[in-house]
Amino acid sequence: MSGFDGEAAFDALRRAMAENSEEPEGPARNARAEQLLAEAEKLNIPLAVIEALGHQLKVYNYSSEKAKMFVPFARLLRMWDERPEDFDEYETHTLHWVFKWMTAGMLDQPHIPLAAMEKWLGEMEHRYRLAGHSERAVRSAEYSVAAHIGDRVRAERAYAAWLAADRDAMADCHACELHEQGWWQVRQGRDAEALDLWAPVLEGEFTCAHEPHAALASSLAPLLRLGRLEEARANHLRGFRLVRSMESMRGAYADHVEFCALSGNEARGLELLAERPAYFTDDGHPRSRLDFMAVVTLLMDRLVELGPADRPVPGPSGRSWTAAELAAHAREEALALAARFDERNGTAHVSERARARMAQRPLVDRLPLGVRAARTVAAPPSAPPAPVPAQEPDLPALIAEARRLSDTLQPNAVEAWAAVARAAQDVELDPRDRAEIADHEAMDRGPEGAGLFEQAAELYELAGDPGEALAAHARAAYVRALAGEVDEALTAVAGPYDEVLALYAADGTGVRQTASVVMSRARILMRQVQEGGEGGEGEILSEAERAVREVLALVEGRTEDDVRLAARVAEARAMLAELAARTGDVESAAELFTRSAAGFVEAGLPWFAVEYEARLAGLLHHLGDLAGTERALRAALEHGGPHLEPVGRAQLRLQLAEVVGGRGLAEEAAEHALEAAHWADEAGEGRTLGAWARHQLGGYLVRLGRWAEAAEVLESALPDLRPETHGDGVVVQTQWWLGDCLSELGEHREAAERRLQAAEIARHWPEQHDHATLAHLAAESLGAAGRPAEADRAYARAGNLWREIGNVHGLIRSLRARAWLALRAEDGADAARELMAQAVRECEAALGDAGSDEEARARLVGELGHTHRQFGDLLARSVSEDAEDDAIRAVLEEALTQVAESIVLFASLGEDALDARTGAELAAGWLAADLSRPEEAAARARAVLAAYGSPGFPSGDDTTERDRRDAADPTAQDRPDAGGGTGRARRDAGDATAQARRAEAAQMLALMEEQQD
């Protein structure tokens, strides 16, 4: 920027400082402020230097270079003492305001002596008294000093005096005060009281530049301690989004890293560290660096505990780090910084707090967040391991326990027999025990266990149990089928099958052994059906069904207390269910799966029911029985318990989310989708199933209006969503939802980017409605982001698309939006007028083509009414204050004509357009008032009162509807998803819209009657 001179240059300097204030926090903004101060000094205007120093001080305060604040402030204070008349009212206020920044700034710099701070407090109190300010800010500053050094008695006294003093212009904003008050409650161990104090800040009632950012971060550990996990999760996602780009909020950032360490989200904690490498070394604010290094130590200690200690982690630049190395480095740095503060303060308070923070233990094993993060430790086993007694039992006891578990089909039977094998390495076991060891090891190996099954068969023969030997041979045949050798398996099972039936007929073996062989043969035939493709061949299906029914004929009625036989019956019914489903008999399949699952549960084997309850849920969903689907999914989750594999748990949770979400229970659906995302990550399916779960979770959060949380989740999902894996519709929907979130959060430029990216994909679809809608929404975001030229092009693109697909409402709304954009441009009034006139013509033409479709005509009449109403508003706003009175009057008359036309159109729609008509009546009334026609304005007001059934004045709230010049969003009807132009049905007197209309009409009537008097 070139040099400045004169008043015009001063104005340019102010614009440059305003622009710099909008830049991201950091050294670049600070350097620009220093340049601007140098330019200001050339102007020979004291106020210019004062303002430039104030700007420099502000950007230093909101950066990592807070230590630089003291020099510009000292210079400002000297200028004030020498020539206070050089300061205008605003700069006088600002000078006294930043006294508080200096107090906090001194606390944060351990090289500034405590005596200097105490002297500064006295200076602050003296100057505030001279300026006539309350002592509230002074007592708050005193409390901060006392709390920092650990002087609790003084801190409590100052805290009470702070709250007792009057609030005035020097008091911190409500948000900052409540945050600090809550922080003190946490220090005293009163977490619940702190959260009560923070509630108005967390809920957005009080906000400022750094709130609720800081309060959200401070709330995390208290919420975890209180077990309010859902709130903690939400506040982390909301709060981290706010502090992520704010360099000056290292302390709050540290709170989020701490949260990750305390909630089992160590991997996310590492991601947070990787995003801010400068936080390890920035030394302009030692206090926040101490906070940061303390939580880095906490996180690294946790990672070392989980192992391995040599895992690579992000750390200070210039070298690579392991968790153990960074833990030692961060602890040394934190304690050294704490020692510097304690040396300055003459206490051990800061070091004690730092050590306590670093020594914290996790408060939650793992709190799912919904965002993707690689696991830092191996996933836990899907089923809990068999309990290990304090003393290893002897071998006979191990064998007895293993046999008990296997006889009752318990999940840990295989592990129990493995323990027997380890304990018997140097012991000669009898053939029966060796057979069962081999049998269960074979089961553990799956398709690779055929040889071990054959070995087990030989041992059973040696043990004198030919029936169990045949069962082991049959199991060996079945695992061959699992390996894809179905024909070979059928050949292999034929012999054991014939032999066991003959043996059973001769009373040479029991039902259990015979059923095992018959079931293995049925399983092999079912594999043949499954590999035969959808439907299979008729003979294969018939043979499989005969084999399954043979199992039932053998076992039903003979199970008694034999769990294994009861399981055979339940499994056989599930096989029949599958065969029924393959032949299209869905109702019978559902009934058989229901009986199968119930059989497993009744036998005390609920974990075996899970697979069939999941299948049942799919069939019931196909039949349209959503209540039954939901019951089956809930039962599957309940019965699976700790034995469910992570991927199965993820799938069930995701299905349940979709079902309850379809019932409108978005909050519960979000909980299930969150769990689904967590378990998908645990299963190593984060990029596939996990991404889909995050997509769904984001959608439910959008439905709940939890925009910041939804944005974090959707942004986490997007990198893993692939058209070839998830479908391009899912990618577009995710971008669409994310654009909506960013728009609600005021991040309009980013919202436009997301919407344009989605539109580019939708551009290739045969049906173009989504493409047009996304282009329209992108235009809206571009306009809100202050990029009118790009917004106009996007609206024009959307308009062309609306025209191509025959959506006249979208076309008209795009034209109206372009008209408002044009009005904002210099000399854009004529272009704006023409665009709005074009919208009127398009609407009138569509009405002419609507024919006898009454519903379509009513929508178009409403659309035309809104267009005339907006045309009137636009004309009224286009009036230049510098224009001649006659010219102003002519434009206002034209505006009134347009609004009056909209009233006629809305009136023709009857009570469905009541609110639209009364809004137009009020706009017409204000225009009439501006044209010095109070009688007409009063008549408009009376018409509104009469429309809502109240000829008199309303009591209570007298807040007025925004008038036609000050409307914040004249294009509210121009969203592509807005209503079709008709209002809602008549409201009663208690309705908010009716109350607002009546209040405004009453105000208008009173003003007009006063003028007439």
Side-chain angles (χ1 to χ4, degrees), residues 603-775:
L605 306 170
W607 47 88
F608 284 120
V610 173
E611 176 185 352
Y612 307 116
E613 285 164 334
R615 296 285 304 278
L616 174 62
L619 292 175
L620 293 174
H621 193 273
H622 176 76
L623 292 169
D625 182 358
L626 297 184
T629 304
E630 185 176 336
R631 283 194 303 272
L633 291 169
R634 291 188 189 279
L637 282 167
E638 177 187 351
H639 293 149
H643 309 295
L644 261 178
E645 293 290 338
V647 68
R649 193 180 300 274
Q651 290 168 337
L652 289 171
R653 286 284 189 178
L654 194 50
Q655 291 173 56
L656 189 53
E658 292 175 359
V659 172
V660 299
R663 292 204 291 121
L665 304 177
E667 190 160 348
E668 183 184 351
E671 293 173 6
H672 291 304
L674 175 68
E675 288 291 326
H678 166 71
W679 288 109
D681 289 343
E682 292 286 323
E685 298 287 340
R687 296 184 181 276
T688 51
L689 184 60
W692 173 251
R694 275 180 271 280
H695 161 81
Q696 294 284 69
L697 172 59
Y700 295 128
L701 292 171
V702 166
R703 196 184 303 180
L704 292 166
R706 290 156 61 176
W707 309 109
E709 296 170 66
E712 284 291 304
V713 170
L714 294 168
E715 286 175 343
S716 176
L718 266 174
D720 294 328
L721 291 173
R722 295 285 184 272
E724 58 273 16
T725 304
H726 302 92
D728 55 6
V730 170
V731 178
V732 167
Q733 182 63 79
T734 304
Q735 296 274 27
W736 195 324
W737 280 333
L738 182 53
D740 291 347
C741 293
L742 296 171
S743 178
E744 293 287 344
L745 294 169
E747 300 174 34
H748 299 295
R749 182 175 301 180
E750 295 79 2
E753 291 174 2
R754 295 300 185 181
R755 287 167 167 174
L756 288 170
Q757 289 167 3
E760 181 59 26
I761 298 174
R763 181 171 68 88
H764 303 286
W765 293 353
E767 207 286 318
Q768 288 289 284
H769 185 273
D770 286 344
H771 181 201
T773 303
L774 286 162

Side-chain angles (χ1 to χ4, degrees), residues 1002-1013:
Q1003 182 192 45
M1004 182 186 296
L1005 186 58
L1007 288 171
M1008 296 306 102
E1009 288 179 345
E1010 182 180 330
Q1011 288 183 23
Q1012 292 178 66
D1013 291 342

Side-chain angles (χ1 to χ4, degrees), residues 175 179 198 201-202 210-220 235 249:
H179 178 223
W198 288 331
V201 184
L202 299 176
H210 278 183
E211 296 292 354
H213 317 40
L216 285 164
S218 295
S219 74
L220 298 174
N235 286 5
M249 299 202 72

Side-chain angles (χ1 to χ4, degrees), residues 400-418:
E401 175 62 11
R403 190 161 286 142
R404 183 190 70 80
L405 292 174
S406 58
D407 284 346
T408 55
L409 299 179
Q410 297 301 304
N412 297 318
V414 169
E415 290 83 357
W417 280 108

Side-chain angles (χ1 to χ4, degrees), residues 930-946:
D930 285 349
L931 288 165
S932 301
R933 301 209 292 261
E935 297 87 350
E936 181 180 344
R940 298 284 187 191
R942 291 190 186 95
V944 172
L945 293 170

Side-chain angles (χ1 to χ4, degrees), residues 131-170:
H133 296 307
S134 163
E135 67 170 9
R136 188 177 182 95
V138 178
R139 299 285 77 82
S140 173
E142 181 188 5
Y143 146 81
S144 297
V145 172
H148 171 68
I149 66 176
D151 187 342
R152 180 171 179 174
V153 173
R154 184 186 180 191
E156 289 279 18
R157 184 173 63 248
Y159 182 91
W162 164 26
L163 270 59
D166 293 336
R167 281 189 58 84
D168 67 351
M170 286 298 109

Side-chain angles (χ1 to χ4, degrees), residues 877-947:
R877 294 185 188 213
S878 70
V879 176
S880 170
E881 294 181 359
D882 299 331
E884 297 291 334
D885 289 347
D886 289 345
I888 293 175
R889 186 173 188 84
V891 174
L892 293 181
E893 288 282 8
E894 187 180 0
L896 181 55
T897 299
Q898 291 287 345
V899 177
E901 180 63 25
S902 75
I903 295 169
V904 173
L905 290 163
F906 290 139
S908 72
L909 296 172
E911 294 195 3
D912 283 347
L914 175 63
D915 291 344
R917 177 170 67 84
T918 55
E921 287 273 17
L922 291 168
W926 292 118
L927 284 166
D930 285 349
L931 288 165
S932 301
R933 301 209 292 261
E935 297 87 350
E936 181 180 344
R940 298 284 187 191
R942 291 190 186 95
V944 172
L945 293 170

Side-chain angles (χ1 to χ4, degrees), residues 817-880:
R818 291 182 66 196
W820 286 106
L821 280 173
L823 186 63
R824 288 159 53 183
E826 189 175 351
D827 299 325
D830 290 342
R833 179 191 291 260
E834 174 52 33
L835 284 163
M836 198 65 81
Q838 186 180 346
V840 170
R841 292 193 297 271
E842 293 285 356
C843 202
E844 289 174 341
L847 258 175
D849 296 337
S852 59
D853 186 338
E854 291 302 321
E855 183 178 349
R857 289 187 64 82
R859 288 192 66 206
L860 286 166
V861 168
E863 199 74 78
L864 183 57
H866 285 295
T867 306
H868 279 295
R869 164 66 196 275
Q870 287 196 33
F871 204 164
D873 289 348
L874 182 140
L875 290 169
R877 294 185 188 213
S878 70
V879 176
S880 170

